[in-house]
Coordinates of all heavy atoms in Angstrom, one line a residue:
M1 N 0.8 -1.1 0.0 CA 0.0 0.0 0.0 C 0.9 1.2 0.0 O 1.3 1.7 1.0 CB -0.9 0.0 1.2 CG -1.6 -1.2 1.5 SD -3.4 -0.7 1.4 CE -4.2 -2.3 1.3
G2 N 1.2 1.8 -1.2 CA 2.1 3.0 -1.3 C 1.2 4.2 -1.2 O -0.1 4.2 -1.0
D3 N 1.9 5.3 -1.3 CA 1.3 6.6 -1.4 C 0.5 6.8 -2.6 O 0.7 6.2 -3.7 CB 2.3 7.8 -1.3 CG 3.1 7.7 0.1 OD1 2.5 7.4 1.0 OD2 4.2 8.2 0.0
P4 N -0.8 7.6 -2.5 CA -1.5 7.8 -3.7 C -0.8 8.6 -4.7 O 0.2 9.3 -4.4 CB -2.7 8.6 -3.1 CG -2.3 9.1 -1.8 CD -1.2 8.2 -1.3
P5 N -1.1 8.6 -6.0 CA -0.5 9.3 -7.0 C -0.6 10.9 -6.8 O -1.5 11.2 -6.1 CB -1.2 9.0 -8.3 CG -2.0 7.8 -7.9 CD -2.3 7.7 -6.5
A6 N 0.5 11.6 -7.2 CA 0.5 12.9 -7.0 C -0.6 13.7 -7.5 O -1.0 14.7 -7.1 CB 1.8 13.5 -7.3
A7 N -1.1 13.3 -8.8 CA -2.1 14.0 -9.5 C -3.4 14.2 -8.6 O -3.9 15.4 -8.5 CB -2.5 13.4 -10.8
P8 N -3.9 13.2 -8.0 CA -5.2 13.4 -7.2 C -4.8 14.3 -6.0 O -5.7 15.1 -5.7 CB -5.4 12.0 -6.7 CG -4.9 11.1 -7.8 CD -3.6 11.8 -8.2
A9 N -3.7 14.2 -5.4 CA -3.3 15.1 -4.3 C -3.3 16.5 -4.7 O -3.8 17.4 -4.1 CB -2.0 14.6 -3.7
A10 N -2.7 16.8 -5.9 CA -2.7 18.2 -6.4 C -4.1 18.5 -6.8 O -4.4 19.8 -6.5 CB -1.8 18.2 -7.7
A11 N -5.0 17.7 -7.3 CA -6.4 18.2 -7.5 C -7.1 18.5 -6.3 O -7.8 19.5 -6.2 CB -7.0 16.9 -8.3
F12 N -6.9 17.8 -5.2 CA -7.5 18.1 -4.0 C -6.9 19.6 -3.5 O -7.7 20.3 -2.9 CB -7.2 17.1 -2.9 CG -8.3 16.0 -2.7 CD1 -8.0 14.7 -3.2 CD2 -9.6 16.4 -2.3 CE1 -9.1 13.8 -3.0 CE2 -10.6 15.4 -2.2 CZ -10.4 14.0 -2.6
G13 N -5.6 19.8 -3.6 CA -5.1 21.0 -3.2 C -5.8 22.2 -4.0 O -6.2 23.2 -3.3
S14 N -6.0 22.0 -5.2 CA -6.7 22.9 -6.0 C -8.0 23.2 -5.6 O -8.6 24.3 -5.6 CB -6.5 22.7 -7.5 OG -7.2 23.6 -8.3
L15 N -8.8 22.1 -5.5 CA -10.3 22.1 -5.0 C -10.3 22.8 -3.6 O -11.2 23.5 -3.4 CB -10.8 20.7 -4.9 CG -11.1 20.1 -6.3 CD1 -11.5 18.7 -6.1 CD2 -12.1 20.9 -7.1
D16 N -9.4 22.5 -2.7 CA -9.4 23.1 -1.3 C -9.2 24.6 -1.5 O -9.9 25.4 -0.8 CB -8.2 22.6 -0.5 CG -8.6 21.2 -0.1 OD1 -9.7 20.7 -0.2 OD2 -7.6 20.6 0.5
S17 N -8.3 25.1 -2.4 CA -8.1 26.6 -2.6 C -9.3 27.2 -3.2 O -9.7 28.2 -2.6 CB -7.0 26.8 -3.6 OG -5.8 26.4 -3.0
D18 N -10.0 26.6 -4.1 CA -11.2 27.1 -4.6 C -12.4 27.1 -3.6 O -13.1 28.1 -3.5 CB -11.7 26.2 -5.8 CG -10.8 26.3 -7.1 OD1 -10.0 27.2 -7.1 OD2 -10.7 25.4 -7.9
F19 N -12.4 26.0 -2.8 CA -13.5 25.9 -1.8 C -13.2 27.0 -0.7 O -14.3 27.6 -0.2 CB -13.5 24.5 -1.2 CG -14.7 24.3 -0.4 CD1 -15.9 24.3 -0.8 CD2 -14.5 24.2 1.1 CE1 -17.0 24.1 0.0 CE2 -15.6 24.0 1.9 CZ -16.9 23.9 1.3
I20 N -12.1 27.2 -0.4 CA -11.7 28.4 0.6 C -12.3 29.7 0.2 O -12.9 30.4 0.9 CB -10.2 28.3 0.9 CG1 -9.9 27.1 1.8 CG2 -9.8 29.6 1.7 CD1 -8.5 26.9 1.9
R21 N -12.1 29.9 -1.2 CA -12.5 31.1 -1.7 C -14.0 31.3 -1.7 O -14.6 32.3 -1.5 CB -12.0 31.3 -3.2 CG -12.4 32.5 -3.9 CD -11.9 33.8 -3.3 NE -12.4 34.9 -4.0 CZ -12.4 36.1 -3.5 NH1 -11.7 36.4 -2.5 NH2 -13.0 37.0 -4.2
V22 N -14.7 30.2 -2.1 CA -16.1 30.1 -2.0 C -16.6 30.5 -0.5 O -17.5 31.2 -0.3 CB -16.7 28.7 -2.4 CG1 -18.1 28.6 -2.1 CG2 -16.5 28.5 -3.9
L23 N -16.0 29.8 0.5 CA -16.4 30.1 1.8 C -16.2 31.5 2.3 O -17.0 32.2 2.9 CB -15.5 29.2 2.8 CG -15.9 27.7 2.8 CD1 -15.0 26.9 3.7 CD2 -17.3 27.6 3.4
E24 N -15.0 32.2 1.8 CA -14.8 33.6 2.0 C -15.9 34.4 1.4 O -16.4 35.3 2.1 CB -13.5 33.9 1.4 CG -12.3 33.5 2.1 CD -11.0 34.0 1.5 OE1 -10.6 35.1 1.8 OE2 -10.4 33.2 0.7
D25 N -16.3 34.1 0.1 CA -17.4 34.8 -0.5 C -18.8 34.7 0.3 O -19.5 35.6 0.4 CB -17.6 34.3 -1.9 CG -16.4 34.8 -2.8 OD1 -15.6 35.8 -2.4 OD2 -16.3 34.3 -3.9
V26 N -19.0 33.4 0.8 CA -20.3 33.2 1.6 C -20.2 34.1 2.8 O -21.2 34.7 3.2 CB -20.4 31.7 1.8 CG1 -21.6 31.5 2.9 CG2 -20.8 30.9 0.6
I27 N -19.1 34.0 3.5 CA -19.0 34.8 4.8 C -19.2 36.2 4.4 O -19.9 37.0 5.2 CB -17.6 34.5 5.4 CG1 -17.7 33.1 6.0 CG2 -17.4 35.5 6.5 CD1 -16.3 32.6 6.4
D28 N -18.6 36.8 3.3 CA -18.7 38.2 3.0 C -20.2 38.6 2.7 O -20.6 39.6 3.1 CB -17.8 38.5 1.9 CG -16.4 38.7 2.2 OD1 -16.0 38.9 3.3 OD2 -15.5 38.6 1.2
A29 N -20.9 37.5 2.1 CA -22.3 37.9 1.7 C -23.1 37.9 2.9 O -24.0 38.7 3.1 CB -22.8 36.8 0.7
L30 N -22.9 36.9 3.8 CA -23.6 37.0 5.1 C -23.3 38.3 6.0 O -24.2 38.9 6.5 CB -23.1 35.7 6.0 CG -23.7 34.4 5.3 CD1 -23.0 33.2 6.1 CD2 -25.2 34.3 5.4
I31 N -22.1 38.7 5.9 CA -21.7 39.9 6.7 C -22.4 41.1 6.0 O -23.0 41.9 6.7 CB -20.3 40.1 6.7 CG1 -19.6 39.0 7.7 CG2 -19.9 41.5 7.2 CD1 -18.2 39.1 7.7
D32 N -22.4 41.2 4.6 CA -23.0 42.3 3.9 C -24.6 42.3 4.2 O -25.1 43.3 4.2 CB -22.7 42.1 2.4 CG -21.4 42.5 2.1 OD1 -20.6 43.0 2.9 OD2 -21.0 42.0 0.8
K33 N -25.1 41.1 4.4 CA -26.6 41.1 4.6 C -26.9 41.3 6.1 O -28.1 41.1 6.6 CB -27.2 39.8 4.1 CG -27.1 39.8 2.6 CD -27.7 38.5 2.0 CE -27.6 38.4 0.5 NZ -28.6 39.1 -0.2
N34 N -25.9 41.6 6.9 CA -26.1 41.6 8.3 C -26.7 40.4 9.0 O -27.4 40.5 10.1 CB -26.9 42.9 8.8 CG -26.3 44.2 8.3 OD1 -25.1 44.3 8.6 ND2 -27.0 45.1 7.8
L35 N -26.4 39.3 8.4 CA -26.8 37.9 9.1 C -25.7 37.4 9.9 O -25.9 36.4 10.6 CB -27.2 36.9 7.9 CG -28.3 37.5 7.1 CD1 -28.5 36.4 5.8 CD2 -29.6 37.4 7.9
L36 N -24.5 37.9 9.8 CA -23.3 37.6 10.5 C -22.5 38.7 10.8 O -22.3 39.6 9.9 CB -22.5 36.4 9.7 CG -21.2 35.9 10.3 CD1 -21.6 34.9 11.4 CD2 -20.5 35.1 9.2
R37 N -21.8 38.8 11.9 CA -20.8 39.8 12.1 C -19.5 39.1 12.2 O -19.3 38.0 12.7 CB -21.0 40.5 13.5 CG -22.3 41.3 13.5 CD -22.5 41.9 14.9 NE -22.6 40.8 15.9 CZ -23.4 40.8 16.9 NH1 -24.3 41.7 17.1 NH2 -23.4 39.8 17.7
L38 N -18.4 39.8 11.8 CA -17.2 39.2 11.8 C -16.7 38.9 13.2 O -16.2 37.8 13.5 CB -16.1 40.2 11.3 CG -14.7 39.8 11.1 CD1 -14.5 38.6 10.2 CD2 -13.7 41.0 10.7
T39 N -17.2 39.6 14.1 CA -16.9 39.4 15.5 C -17.6 38.2 16.1 O -17.4 37.6 17.2 CB -17.2 40.5 16.4 OG1 -18.6 41.0 16.3 CG2 -16.3 41.6 16.2
D40 N -18.7 37.6 15.2 CA -19.3 36.3 15.6 C -18.3 35.1 15.5 O -18.6 34.1 16.2 CB -20.6 36.1 14.9 CG -21.7 37.0 15.2 OD1 -21.7 37.6 16.2 OD2 -22.5 37.2 14.3
L41 N -17.4 35.3 14.7 CA -16.4 34.2 14.4 C -15.3 34.2 15.5 O -15.1 35.1 16.1 CB -15.8 34.4 13.0 CG -16.7 34.5 11.9 CD1 -16.1 34.9 10.6 CD2 -17.4 33.2 11.7
P42 N -14.7 33.0 15.7 CA -13.6 32.9 16.7 C -12.5 33.8 16.2 O -12.3 34.1 15.0 CB -13.1 31.5 16.5 CG -14.3 30.7 15.9 CD -15.1 31.7 15.2
L43 N -11.8 34.3 17.1 CA -10.7 35.2 16.9 C -9.7 34.7 15.9 O -9.3 35.6 14.9 CB -10.0 35.6 18.2 CG -9.0 36.8 18.1 CD1 -9.6 38.1 17.6 CD2 -8.4 37.0 19.5
E44 N -9.4 33.5 15.8 CA -8.4 33.1 14.9 C -9.0 33.1 13.5 O -8.3 33.3 12.5 CB -7.9 31.7 15.2 CG -6.7 31.2 14.5 CD -5.4 32.1 14.6 OE1 -5.2 32.7 15.7 OE2 -4.7 32.1 13.6
A45 N -10.2 32.8 13.4 CA -10.9 32.8 12.1 C -11.0 34.3 11.6 O -10.7 34.5 10.4 CB -12.4 32.2 12.1
Q46 N -11.2 35.2 12.4 CA -11.2 36.6 12.1 C -9.9 37.0 11.4 O -9.7 37.7 10.5 CB -11.5 37.5 13.3 CG -12.9 37.4 13.8 CD -13.2 38.2 15.0 OE1 -12.7 39.4 15.1 NE2 -13.9 37.7 16.1
R47 N -8.9 36.7 12.2 CA -7.5 36.9 11.8 C -7.1 36.4 10.4 O -6.6 37.1 9.6 CB -6.4 36.5 12.8 CG -6.5 37.2 14.1 CD -5.3 36.8 15.1 NE -5.4 37.5 16.3 CZ -5.3 36.9 17.4 NH1 -5.1 35.7 17.5 NH2 -5.4 37.6 18.5
K48 N -7.4 35.1 10.3 CA -7.2 34.5 9.0 C -7.9 35.1 7.8 O -7.4 35.4 6.7 CB -7.5 33.0 9.0 CG -6.5 32.2 9.8 CD -6.7 30.8 10.0 CE -5.8 30.1 10.9 NZ -6.0 28.7 11.1
L49 N -9.3 35.4 7.9 CA -10.1 36.0 7.0 C -9.5 37.4 6.6 O -9.3 37.7 5.5 CB -11.5 36.2 7.4 CG -12.4 35.0 7.4 CD1 -13.7 35.1 8.1 CD2 -12.7 34.6 5.9
L50 N -9.2 38.2 7.6 CA -8.8 39.6 7.4 C -7.4 39.5 6.7 O -7.0 40.3 5.9 CB -8.5 40.3 8.7 CG -10.0 40.7 9.2 CD1 -9.9 41.3 10.6 CD2 -10.8 41.6 8.3
A51 N -6.4 38.6 7.1 CA -5.1 38.5 6.5 C -5.4 38.1 5.1 O -4.6 38.6 4.2 CB -4.3 37.3 7.2
R52 N -6.2 37.2 4.7 CA -6.3 36.8 3.3 C -7.0 38.0 2.5 O -6.5 38.2 1.4 CB -7.3 35.5 3.3 CG -6.6 34.3 3.6 CD -7.5 33.1 3.4 NE -8.0 32.9 2.0 CZ -7.3 32.3 1.1 NH1 -6.2 31.7 1.4 NH2 -7.9 32.2 -0.1
K53 N -7.9 38.7 3.1 CA -8.5 39.8 2.5 C -7.5 40.9 2.2 O -7.4 41.5 1.1 CB -9.6 40.3 3.3 CG -10.5 41.4 2.5 CD -11.7 41.8 3.4 CE -12.6 40.5 3.3 NZ -14.0 40.9 3.2
D54 N -6.6 41.1 3.2 CA -5.5 42.3 3.0 C -4.5 41.7 1.9 O -4.1 42.6 1.1 CB -4.8 42.4 4.4 CG -5.6 43.2 5.3 OD1 -6.6 43.8 5.0 OD2 -5.2 43.1 6.5
L55 N -4.1 40.5 1.9 CA -3.2 40.0 0.9 C -3.8 40.1 -0.5 O -3.2 40.5 -1.5 CB -2.8 38.5 1.3 CG -1.8 38.0 0.3 CD1 -0.6 38.7 0.1 CD2 -1.5 36.5 0.7
R56 N -5.1 39.7 -0.7 CA -5.7 39.7 -1.9 C -5.8 41.2 -2.4 O -5.6 41.4 -3.6 CB -7.1 39.2 -1.8 CG -7.7 38.8 -3.1 CD -9.0 38.1 -3.2 NE -9.1 37.1 -2.1 CZ -9.8 37.2 -1.0 NH1 -10.5 38.2 -0.7 NH2 -9.8 36.1 -0.2
Q57 N -6.1 42.2 -1.5 CA -6.3 43.5 -1.9 C -4.9 44.0 -2.3 O -4.7 44.8 -3.3 CB -6.8 44.3 -0.7 CG -7.3 45.7 -1.1 CD -8.0 46.3 0.0 OE1 -7.9 46.0 1.2 NE2 -9.0 47.2 -0.3
H58 N -3.8 43.5 -1.5 CA -2.4 44.0 -1.9 C -2.0 43.5 -3.3 O -1.5 44.3 -4.1 CB -1.5 43.5 -0.8 CG -0.1 43.8 -1.1 ND1 0.5 45.1 -1.0 CD2 0.9 43.0 -1.5 CE1 1.7 45.1 -1.3 NE2 2.0 43.7 -1.7
L59 N -2.4 42.3 -3.6 CA -2.0 41.6 -4.9 C -2.8 42.3 -5.9 O -2.3 42.5 -7.1 CB -2.3 40.1 -4.8 CG -1.2 39.3 -3.9 CD1 -1.6 37.9 -3.9 CD2 0.2 39.5 -4.4
R60 N -4.0 42.5 -5.7 CA -4.9 43.2 -6.7 C -4.3 44.6 -7.1 O -4.2 45.0 -8.3 CB -6.2 43.4 -6.2 CG -7.2 43.9 -7.2 CD -8.6 44.0 -6.9 NE -9.2 42.7 -6.4 CZ -9.9 42.4 -5.3 NH1 -10.0 43.4 -4.5 NH2 -10.2 41.2 -5.1
G61 N -3.8 45.4 -6.1 CA -3.2 46.6 -6.4 C -1.9 46.5 -7.1 O -1.6 47.3 -8.0
R62 N -1.1 45.5 -6.9 CA 0.2 45.2 -7.6 C -0.1 44.9 -9.0 O 0.7 45.2 -9.9 CB 1.0 44.2 -6.9 CG 1.5 44.6 -5.6 CD 2.4 43.6 -5.0 NE 3.5 43.2 -5.9 CZ 4.2 42.2 -5.8 NH1 3.9 41.2 -4.9 NH2 5.2 41.9 -6.7
L63 N -1.2 44.2 -9.4 CA -1.5 43.7 -10.7 C -2.2 44.8 -11.5 O -2.5 44.6 -12.6 CB -2.4 42.5 -10.6 CG -1.6 41.2 -10.0 CD1 -2.5 40.1 -9.9 CD2 -0.4 40.9 -10.7
D64 N -2.6 46.0 -10.9 CA -3.3 46.9 -11.5 C -2.4 47.8 -12.5 O -1.7 48.6 -11.9 CB -4.0 47.9 -10.5 CG -4.9 48.9 -11.2 OD1 -5.2 48.7 -12.4 OD2 -5.3 49.9 -10.6
L65 N -2.2 47.4 -13.7 CA -1.3 48.1 -14.6 C -1.8 49.3 -15.1 O -0.9 50.2 -15.5 CB -1.1 47.1 -15.8 CG -0.6 45.7 -15.5 CD1 -0.5 44.8 -16.8 CD2 0.7 45.7 -14.8
V66 N -3.0 49.7 -15.0 CA -3.5 51.0 -15.4 C -4.3 51.5 -14.2 O -5.4 51.1 -14.0 CB -4.5 50.8 -16.7 CG1 -4.9 52.4 -17.1 CG2 -3.7 50.2 -17.8
P67 N -3.7 52.3 -13.4 CA -4.4 52.8 -12.2 C -5.5 53.7 -12.5 O -5.5 54.3 -13.5 CB -3.3 53.5 -11.4 CG -2.2 53.7 -12.3 CD -2.3 52.7 -13.4
G68 N -6.6 53.6 -11.6 CA -7.7 54.5 -11.8 C -8.7 53.9 -12.8 O -8.4 52.9 -13.3
D69 N -9.7 54.7 -13.0 CA -10.7 54.3 -13.9 C -10.7 55.1 -15.1 O -11.7 55.1 -16.0 CB -12.2 54.5 -13.2 CG -12.4 53.6 -12.1 OD1 -11.8 52.5 -12.1 OD2 -13.1 54.0 -11.2
D70 N -9.6 55.6 -15.5 CA -9.5 56.4 -16.7 C -9.5 55.6 -18.0 O -9.1 54.4 -18.0 CB -8.1 57.1 -16.8 CG -7.9 58.1 -15.6 OD1 -9.0 58.5 -15.1 OD2 -6.8 58.4 -15.4
V71 N -10.2 56.1 -19.0 CA -10.5 55.3 -20.3 C -9.3 55.7 -21.1 O -9.0 56.9 -21.3 CB -11.8 55.6 -20.9 CG1 -11.9 54.9 -22.2 CG2 -12.9 55.3 -20.0
I72 N -8.7 54.8 -21.8 CA -7.6 55.1 -22.6 C -8.2 55.2 -24.1 O -8.9 54.5 -24.5 CB -6.4 54.0 -22.6 CG1 -6.0 54.0 -21.2 CG2 -5.4 54.2 -23.5 CD1 -5.0 52.9 -20.9

C-alpha cells in the first residue's frame, strides 16, 4: 500500500483553494446582509479572513497595470 499518485493530491489542493475562496465569499455575503458579524467568528478565524483579504487586496493593487478608472 504505497502513497496515492501525486495528481489526485494536487487536484485536492486545487479544490481546497477554490473551496476556501467560496467560503470567503459566503462569509462576506452573510456579513453584507447583516446575518453575521465578523466578531461572531472565533478570533483566529477573524485573523485568517482579514489576512487573506488584505493580501488579496495588496496583490490586486500590484496587478493593476492601469491605475484609476481612466479610459484610454
Side-chain angles (χ1 to χ4, degrees):
M1 307 240 164
D3 291 333
F12 266 112
S14 176
L15 288 173
D16 285 349
S17 296
D18 292 344
F19 189 67
I20 290 168
R21 179 63 188 171
V22 168
L23 286 176
E24 287 180 81
D25 290 346
V26 168
I27 291 168
D28 285 344
L30 291 172
I31 290 172
D32 289 345
K33 294 179 183 277
N34 294 317
L35 298 172
L36 177 76
R37 292 180 302 223
L38 183 63
T39 56
D40 291 339
L41 300 171
L43 189 56
E44 192 58 30
Q46 293 177 42
R47 287 184 183 136
K48 289 178 182 181
L49 281 168
L50 292 174
R52 287 183 58 86
K53 191 173 289 220
D54 287 345
L55 180 59
R56 194 176 317 108
Q57 194 170 30
H58 175 73
L59 291 174
R60 186 177 298 133
R62 289 183 57 200
L63 298 175
D64 188 10
L65 301 177
V66 182
D69 292 332
D70 298 337
V71 177
I72 298 177

